[in-house]
Amino acid sequence: MWNQPTEVELAKVPRLYETENVSAKDKVIHLHFFLGGSDWFICEFDGENTFFGFACLNGWTDLAEWGYISYKELKELKVEQPILFGGEKRFTLLEVDRDLHWDVRKAKDVKLIRECQGLLLFDQ
């Protein structure tokens, strides 16, 4: 994983179930991870390996959902990407990256989550 969050940064994320009484649109997204067309938005952490948040994989907005995300699996995920190098086809490994320019905000203020959940959900 590129730009893995520090222990201090992870400690700022609410613990698992701490925000379960907060509506989905008002959950605060503390971290954003991405790889290609996949995005993971984190709002809770158990302090060890489990995040709770919103995932949109491969840009499939109709299949995006709230759920549990394995931190260990995010750190280990690697995807082969073909590249041309000197006219020769080679492969490089891409890893999940953390958005270093992420500003903490509510889910309803994240464009991709709004698109995946449907604007009506947040405009009520």
Side-chain angles (χ1 to χ4, degrees), residues 19-71:
T19 69
E20 70 180 339
N21 292 323
V22 176
S23 67
K25 68 179 182 177
D26 290 322
K27 287 197 182 291
V28 175
I29 306 299
H30 292 269
L31 298 169
H32 172 224
F33 297 101
F34 62 93
L35 172 62
S38 297
D39 293 88
W40 297 268
F41 299 95
I42 307 303
C43 56
E44 295 178 353
F45 182 48
D46 74 350
E48 294 178 27
N49 181 54
T50 305
F51 289 126
F52 180 80
F54 190 83
C56 180
L57 305 179
N58 300 314
W60 296 332
T61 57
D62 55 332
L63 298 176
E65 64 184 354
W66 292 94
Y68 297 96
I69 302 158
S70 168
Y71 186 31

Side-chain angles (χ1 to χ4, degrees), residues 113-124:
I113 296 176
R114 286 178 59 88
E115 290 174 10
C116 294
Q117 295 282 274
L119 292 175
L120 292 178
L121 173 68
F122 294 125
D123 292 337
Q124 295 178 3

Side-chain angles (χ1 to χ4, degrees), residues 44-112:
E44 295 178 353
F45 182 48
D46 74 350
E48 294 178 27
N49 181 54
T50 305
F51 289 126
F52 180 80
F54 190 83
C56 180
L57 305 179
N58 300 314
W60 296 332
T61 57
D62 55 332
L63 298 176
E65 64 184 354
W66 292 94
Y68 297 96
I69 302 158
S70 168
Y71 186 31
K72 179 179 184 274
E73 289 178 10
L74 283 181
K75 290 188 283 187
E76 294 174 353
L77 184 60
K78 292 176 179 38
V79 176
E80 271 192 359
Q81 174 69 41
I83 59 170
L84 286 177
F85 185 76
E88 182 181 328
K89 185 176 182 179
R90 296 188 184 180
F91 291 90
T92 188
L93 288 177
L94 301 178
E95 299 179 32
V96 171
D97 197 355
R98 178 174 59 102
D99 186 345
L100 295 178
H101 303 287
W102 182 255
D103 293 319
V104 175
R105 65 195 106 165
K106 291 184 177 183
K108 67 182 177 184
D109 297 322
V110 178
K111 183 179 178 186
L112 182 58

